[in-house]
Amino acid sequence: MKVIISGGGTGGHIFPALAIANAIKERHPEADILFVGARGRMEMEKVPAAGYTIKGLPIAGLQRQLTLSNIIKNLQLPFKVLRSRCMVRGILRRFRPDIVVGVGGFASQPTLSVASRMNIPTLLQEQNSYAGLANKTLARKAACICVAYPDMDRYFPAEKIVFTGNPVRADIERLSATRDEGCAHFGLQPDLPVVLSVGGSLGAGSINRMMLDNLQFFADNRIQIIFQTGRTMYDEAKQAVAAAGVEQWVKVHQFISRMDLAYAAAQVVISRAGAIAISELCLVGKPVMLIPSPNVAEDHQTKNAMALVNKGAALIMPDSRCHNEGLPMLAQLLADPVRQQRMGQAIRALAAPQAASHIVDHIEQVIANKH
């Protein structure tokens, strides 16, 4: 079996891609898997670290803020698209895949588009409750579309849709770590509350600012925080925590590689409402306060969050209000163990386990239909 997996840009695309690759390898150890990503993006580091080969395209996205620098980048975009498509054609001719899987992100559009033109079967994995323009376009020629939310026939041909849920990292899917192990790993006291704050793989400015402007709150209330900042604000966060003398309470990390231990240690989670974050949180079954990013297409993170809130499985805090109202909401939740338990049970009921394995079922089926 020869498979190309294309996409990336953020952990929300990369981690499902790696989960699918690992599930293929589990079932077909001899499988040959090649990733195609965008140069300079996160996948060019994370995919090789996971043991897979990746080819980088010079593709980029449209810059929406009209600065002079961004206008120049936008003018270069058509040339980057053409060059990327030429490179993809060469990659496909040399590798000769049985199927090309798209997980979203800059690179997936030219890769799947060229594959379809070359009559190579394609499979789409749409993580969100809202489908972007690229996937809606690619869906016309896709053999199969794996989704994680109901009613996706608003965007895709109904006969091509299969509900699989979102694939997540195996260490999260098979979460076996204990709270004591998690606390030991992060240097925390297991007899005190622990909150995990994550703004996605690239960080979230407003969540970080909410934390950094209220550091004394955690010491005063004896709340321990595992704090993933992302790259941009990591140095500032380290300095602010040291200056405030709250290192005992706030553990700063640029990126958390052992999310299984972070989830195990946490009593409550503060998170963006990206599709993969939500899929992981459902499997983990911990009460969560979701702060949807306002900087996404069609406000789809709010839609993702409300799917949980309407079932009593999460709290929602608008991004614009989190700075002043987020931590009081957190304190109320920590003070109410009955509510925590109820929310944990409700969110766990929404989990879609074995998603990566189900996607591999459909990959096999598409390849079999080709022959």
Side-chain angles (χ1 to χ4, degrees):
M1 183 186 286
K2 300 190 80 171
V3 182
I4 283 180
I5 302 176
S6 185
T10 67
H13 296 309
I14 297 163
F15 295 132
L18 290 171
I20 293 168
N22 292 339
I24 292 170
K25 278 289 193 184
E26 214 167 90
R27 203 178 296 184
H28 302 275
E30 78 294 344
D32 196 356
I33 299 172
L34 175 67
F35 281 77
V36 177
R39 287 179 189 167
R41 304 292 292 187
M42 189 179 171
E43 58 267 26
M44 301 307 294
E45 175 192 332
K46 298 293 178 190
V47 169
Y52 294 99
T53 302
I54 186 167
K55 302 285 187 186
L57 304 179
I59 192 71
L62 190 68
Q63 303 295 320
R64 299 186 189 280
Q65 288 185 324
L66 294 181
T67 63
L68 179 60
S69 168
N70 285 348
I71 290 169
I72 293 168
K73 286 178 184 173
N74 286 343
L75 290 171
Q76 293 171 338
L77 191 55
F79 302 100
K80 289 183 175 180
V81 170
L82 283 171
R83 190 157 167 244
S84 294
R85 291 174 73 92
C86 288
M87 289 177 67
V88 167
R89 197 168 285 109
I91 291 166
L92 294 173
R93 281 182 180 145
R94 287 189 298 274
F95 189 74
R96 298 169 62 85
D98 296 301
I99 190 170
V100 177
V101 177
V103 295
F106 299 143
S108 65
Q109 208 286 331
T111 308
L112 271 73
S113 177
V114 173
S116 294
R117 284 178 177 273
M118 294 173 68
N119 294 316
I120 299 166
T122 62
L123 177 145
L124 282 180
Q125 198 270 316
E126 173 57 66
Q127 293 114 24
N128 286 294
S129 57
Y130 169 82
L133 180 61
N135 272 2
K136 282 190 274 191
T137 306
L138 293 168
R140 293 174 199 151
K141 294 194 174 178
C144 178
I145 304 160
C146 299
V147 303
Y149 286 87
D151 306 320
M152 294 303 284
D153 54 358
R154 291 173 294 166
Y155 309 112
F156 302 130
E159 68 277 8
K160 295 183 178 184
I161 295 173
V162 291
F163 181 87
T164 57
N166 278 323
V168 302
R169 293 167 277 190
D171 56 350
I172 307 300
E173 178 108 45
R174 301 164 186 159
L175 195 64
S176 58
T178 65
R179 177 173 159 80
D180 283 352
E181 288 170 341
C183 287
H185 179 81
F186 289 99
L188 302 167
Q189 298 180 57
D191 57 327
L192 292 174
V194 176
V195 174
L196 169 62
S197 174
V198 282
S201 55
L202 302 178
S206 52
I207 295 179
N208 289 348
R209 188 52 54 205
M210 173 182 78
M211 311 295 283
L212 293 178
D213 290 350
N214 296 282
L215 290 173
Q216 199 55 45
F217 169 89
F218 303 111
D220 291 346
N221 290 279
R222 296 174 63 77
I223 298 168
Q224 302 172 104
I225 300 287
I226 305 170
F227 182 19
Q228 178 178 288
T229 62
R231 185 177 301 150
T232 315
M233 295 180 70
Y234 174 70
D235 290 337
E236 179 189 347
K238 284 288 283 185
Q239 290 165 12
V241 167
V246 293
E247 295 102 326
Q248 176 190 347
W249 304 102
V250 182
K251 308 295 182 179
V252 180
H253 299 265
Q254 180 177 309
F255 181 80
I256 298 170
S257 56
R258 291 298 306 270
M259 279 300 291
D260 57 326
L261 291 172
Y263 282 134
Q267 190 173 331
V268 171
V269 181
I270 299 170
S271 175
R272 283 300 197 205
I276 300 304
I278 283 182
S279 296
E280 289 190 353
L281 290 164
C282 289
L283 286 164
V284 169
K286 297 287 175 81
V288 59
M289 183 171 82
L290 296 170
I291 304 176
S293 170
N295 308 312
V296 294
E298 299 291 317
D299 195 26
H300 70 255
Q301 285 206 5
T302 297
K303 296 180 177 73
N304 291 349
M306 288 309 297
L308 270 63
V309 173
N310 291 337
K311 295 184 183 298
L315 301 177
I316 187 169
M317 172 58 61
D319 186 84
S320 59
R321 289 166 37 198
C322 74
H323 190 274
N324 295 325
E325 300 176 37
L327 295 183
M329 177 184 271
L330 172 68
Q332 281 186 339
L333 180 58
L334 286 171
D336 192 342
V338 174
R339 191 180 192 192
Q340 289 175 45
Q341 185 180 13
R342 209 164 48 232
M343 285 174 64
Q345 290 169 343
I347 197 169
R348 196 177 288 111
L350 301 175
Q354 301 296 313
S357 181
H358 294 321
I359 290 168
V360 176
D361 292 341
H362 293 288
I363 289 172
E364 290 172 340
Q365 195 175 324
V366 170
I367 293 173
N369 291 343
K370 184 181 80 162
H371 302 299

